[in-house]
Amino acid sequence: MKTKAFFRLVIILGIGLALFDKPGRASIQAGPPAQTDKVPVHAKIYKRLLIRNAMVIYGNGEPAFGPANICIEDGRIARVGRVPEGWVPEAEIDATGKYVMPGIINTHIHLQDERGGVSQPLQYEMNLYLAAGATTVRDVGSEWEKAKEWRARSADHLMVAPRILLYERVWASKGSHTAELVRQGVRFAKQLGVDGLKMSGMDRDLAEALIDEAKKQGLRTAVHIAVDETTAKDWAELGVTSIEHFYGVADAALDGIQNFPPEHNSNNEIHRFGRAGELFIQPNLNRQKLSAVLDLMVKNSVTWCPTLSIYVASRDIIRAQNLPWYKDYLHPTLEEYFRPDLQHHGSYFLGWTNTQEVRWKKDYQVWMEAIKEFALKGGNITVGDDAGFIYSVYGFGQVHEMELLEEAGFHPLEVIKMATANGAKLIGMEDRLGRVRQGFIADLLVVNGNPLENLRLLNPYGTDVLAYDGKVVNNYSALIPGDPKIKAEHGGGIEWTIKEGIPYHVPTLMKEVKVMVEEARAERAKTK
Ligand SMILES: [Zn+2]
């Protein structure tokens, strides 16, 4: 392109941007630097909170813009852009050099106040999820009576926790072996006040009754398809809201059934998880069938929450057992639960072989290709970590899920969209959640650095960064080896997780986690 023409184009584009800037999102220069005496207090409710001078990741996959100011009033985003005249905030966050994105919607978690019958403070899990940027969590299976209390306490801001949605199995509490019982159970769950239903491993006729009744009751549904009669094809035909994990997707693509050995026992966790890692590499997997089931899922608007991160220990157990954040942040209850024990769900690493890991690695390749194909066809992928099992720690699993989605072939902006706007769509809150949009609920993250450059910045532990002359720079910068100003440092992390306008200071949350862990370890040392 000739230089003159190029400049003309730039001018036209510039005018275009000025004319078509969407309301409330003007990327204007921010005002004077923040007044330090206005730094928010952790977990305090403010009527008016200002985030100043931020680069904004909107949430729908469009490029970042800024610097911009974000005015928060009564828990909502009141303005993105210029601070209105006379609008005086009670507290201010200076986001110079930081990125602001929507709060993460984690669509597959389990609320846990115990592991293997040993107590563990719920606050430990809640702090970690907030620290990882989750402002909404979809619980897909915990104790109903307790969970509904936690949901209420979080909604009333009486507990430091993300917003909680409950997709529960309570529908099965009175029996689930006939279609009539299933229908009664769904109506019972509706009366109790669930946000949705969670199912796993059902016969086709019962699944049919459940989905039909759930639709009549206006309830959304999430299915963990086991290796059983129903596959993703059945559930997509029936119109389930979301498919969790991967099992049933691979099964729907087989010509026939899995070629498992005669001694296979689904109640043996080694058999179950070992063979699960072979589903996508079964010799009778038919790629055309796989594409067809993905098409069907897209056609019937079925969301896929793959939970890639919960299985990664299976493809690299030594890494999973030695993560650096265990030192300060692994609660001893969780640590004990993770230890190899066939009585604990997901603790199957007894004599785990390299061959088993290699099969899992190959399984992941096909699985990731399927996820990519599904998304390219228009399918809705969301981010869920399913932590609390298999060496996955709450929140840390969530950022790893995002890293794995990048590995599956998505741009970090797309991954962030999956974690925000896509999640909002799944839970039916896309009209008020998942974007940095005026009028939306003020669920926002203030990130130390640019997560588009490195998703790992979202890790509650932080991450390694390259600093030049005391300033964090891209590690592809033109640096000269031997320059003494080059330093490896620890940085990143989210600084503030804002839920409904309430600022939670992540370093404070993590300090509290550390204390909880220290105290629990000291308690155990006493009884030894
Ligand atoms: Zn789960």
Side-chain angles (χ1 to χ4, degrees):
M1 192 183 291
K2 292 219 179 89
T3 322
K4 231 180 191 174
F6 174 74
F7 281 118
R8 199 173 301 140
L9 180 68
V10 168
I11 289 163
I12 290 165
L13 277 174
I15 292 166
L17 285 174
L19 285 175
F20 298 113
D21 213 317
K22 295 176 196 170
R25 290 169 51 206
S27 51
I28 48 103
Q29 290 297 320
Q35 298 162 24
T36 45
D37 60 333
K38 280 197 158 186
V39 171
V41 173
H42 169 68
K44 189 177 169 185
I45 298 176
Y46 292 100
K47 183 167 175 57
R48 283 179 175 177
L49 175 68
L50 173 65
I51 304 172
R52 197 183 278 280
N53 217 17
M55 286 299 295
V56 178
I57 299 171
Y58 187 64
N60 62 353
E62 71 183 41
F65 63 90
N69 301 310
I70 303 168
C71 303
I72 299 167
E73 188 161 331
D74 296 323
R76 296 268 171 168
I77 298 170
R79 182 78 80 96
V80 182
R82 204 181 296 276
V83 180
E85 200 136 331
W87 192 89
V88 181
E90 294 161 292
E92 275 185 41
I93 294 169
D94 178 14
T96 307
K98 300 183 200 292
Y99 275 69
V100 169
M101 58 176 271
I104 290 171
I105 298 166
N106 187 324
T107 58
H108 191 123
I109 73 127
H110 297 276
L111 295 166
Q112 295 171 339
D113 66 349
E114 58 79 36
R115 302 307 301 124
V118 182
S119 77
Q120 178 179 280
L122 181 76
Q123 200 58 57
Y124 168 72
E125 178 180 0
M126 297 297 91
N127 271 34
L128 283 175
Y129 273 128
L130 280 174
T135 46
T136 303
V137 292
R138 186 177 68 142
D139 172 87
V140 284
S142 59
E143 256 182 87
W144 168 251
E145 288 298 327
K146 285 183 184 177
K148 74 170 182 192
E149 286 302 314
W150 296 331
R151 180 180 64 178
R153 288 175 58 76
S154 172
D156 294 340
H157 309 306
L158 299 172
M159 180 168 74
V160 174
R163 175 179 304 102
I164 295 169
L165 296 178
L166 301 173
Y167 282 50
E168 300 301 323
R169 290 173 195 275
V170 67
W171 61 270
S173 58
K174 292 182 176 161
S176 57
H177 52 282
T178 72
E180 191 39 45
L181 279 173
V182 168
R183 286 182 186 276
Q184 279 175 27
V186 172
R187 292 193 290 268
F188 173 64
K190 172 77 179 182
Q191 274 174 14
L192 290 178
V194 298
D195 298 297
L197 306 171
K198 170 75 183 299
M199 305 80 70
S200 63
M202 291 177 81
D203 292 353
R204 169 84 192 205
D205 60 320
L206 302 175
E208 216 165 308
L210 184 135
I211 296 288
D212 183 60
E213 194 61 38
K215 283 181 181 168
K216 284 181 184 152
Q217 301 301 324
L219 286 172
R220 286 167 193 252
T221 46
V223 64
H224 167 143
I225 307 168
V227 177
D228 69 314
E229 180 177 285
T230 43
T231 68
K233 182 169 178 286
D234 297 283
W235 289 100
E237 277 169 4
L238 297 172
V240 73
T241 315
S242 71
I243 288 173
E244 312 298 303
H245 317 303
F246 66 96
Y247 314 95
V249 179
D251 292 341
L254 301 181
D255 286 327
I257 61 165
Q258 309 81 15
N259 185 27
F260 289 169
E263 68 276 13
H264 185 87
N265 174 3
S266 296
N267 275 6
N268 177 319
E269 295 274 299
I270 301 176
H271 292 197
R272 205 154 89 80
F273 282 95
R275 301 300 174 196
E278 300 174 11
L279 289 175
F280 275 114
I281 51 169
Q282 290 283 302
N284 58 346
L285 185 105
N286 179 334
R287 288 284 188 142
Q288 279 171 335
K289 264 193 178 173
L290 181 57
S291 290
V293 77
L294 298 174
D295 283 333
L296 183 65
M297 285 164 65
V298 173
K299 181 170 163 266
N300 290 352
S301 305
V302 180
T303 290
W304 191 359
C305 178
T307 70
L308 288 156
S309 56
I310 193 61
Y311 305 98
V312 282
S314 315
R315 69 172 196 177
D316 199 351
I317 184 61
I318 293 170
R319 177 191 190 275
Q321 288 172 331
N322 293 285
L323 293 165
W325 42 87
Y326 292 167
K327 183 174 163 283
D328 288 334
Y329 305 117
L330 178 59
H331 196 281
T333 298
L334 204 49
E335 186 178 0
E336 287 153 15
Y337 187 79
F338 287 161
R339 281 186 198 138
D341 184 341
L342 291 184
Q343 308 272 69
H344 291 168
H345 179 45
S347 302
Y348 47 90
F349 299 99
L350 292 94
W352 196 244
T353 67
N354 188 55
T355 305
Q356 284 164 321
E357 286 199 2
V358 169
R359 285 178 183 156
W360 264 101
K361 282 175 189 162
K362 294 191 167 158
D363 195 81
Y364 263 86
Q365 288 170 6
V366 183
W367 182 12
M368 285 177 169
E369 284 163 22
I371 291 170
K372 178 81 181 175
E373 182 180 337
F374 176 70
L376 287 179
K377 285 173 164 165
N380 194 48
I381 299 274
T382 62
V383 167
D385 69 352
D386 201 12
F389 309 93
I390 326 182
Y391 293 100
S392 181
V393 182
Y394 321 107
F396 295 102
Q398 182 185 285
V399 67
H400 201 185
E401 186 72 18
M402 296 171 75
E403 293 164 24
L404 289 162
L405 285 165
E406 185 177 2
E407 185 183 330
F410 300 101
H411 188 286
L413 258 177
E414 290 176 288
V415 177
I416 287 176
K417 173 175 179 275
M418 291 168 181
T420 57
N422 287 14
K425 192 175 168 198
L426 169 60
I427 58 175
M429 293 179 79
E430 69 270 36
D431 60 343
R432 55 199 186 280
L433 217 56
R435 290 164 198 242
V436 186
R437 176 152 133 193
Q438 188 172 329
F440 271 38
I441 296 169
D443 282 10
L444 300 163
L445 312 179
V446 182
V447 185
N448 290 315
N450 181 359
L452 302 176
E453 196 170 289
N454 186 3
L455 286 170
R456 211 158 270 180
L457 293 173
L458 300 171
N459 192 314
Y461 174 79
T463 190
D464 295 331
V465 292
L466 190 155
Y468 185 79
D469 204 11
K471 206 170 172 287
V472 178
V473 295
N474 184 300
N475 70 356
Y476 270 137
S477 304
L479 301 169
I480 309 296
D483 187 334
K485 287 179 179 165
I486 300 170
K487 291 252 157 47
E489 280 181 12
H490 196 78
I494 296 166
E495 189 67 22
W496 294 95
T497 292
I498 299 166
K499 173 202 159 197
E500 235 170 290
I502 304 173
Y504 296 103
H505 187 234
V506 170
T508 302
L509 292 168
M510 292 306 283
K511 206 181 287 171
E512 289 174 0
V513 168
K514 197 173 171 217
V515 169
M516 281 182 236
V517 169
E518 277 166 2
E519 284 176 358
R521 284 177 184 165
E523 200 56 42
R524 275 168 173 77
K526 259 193 263 170
T527 56
K528 257 173 199 161

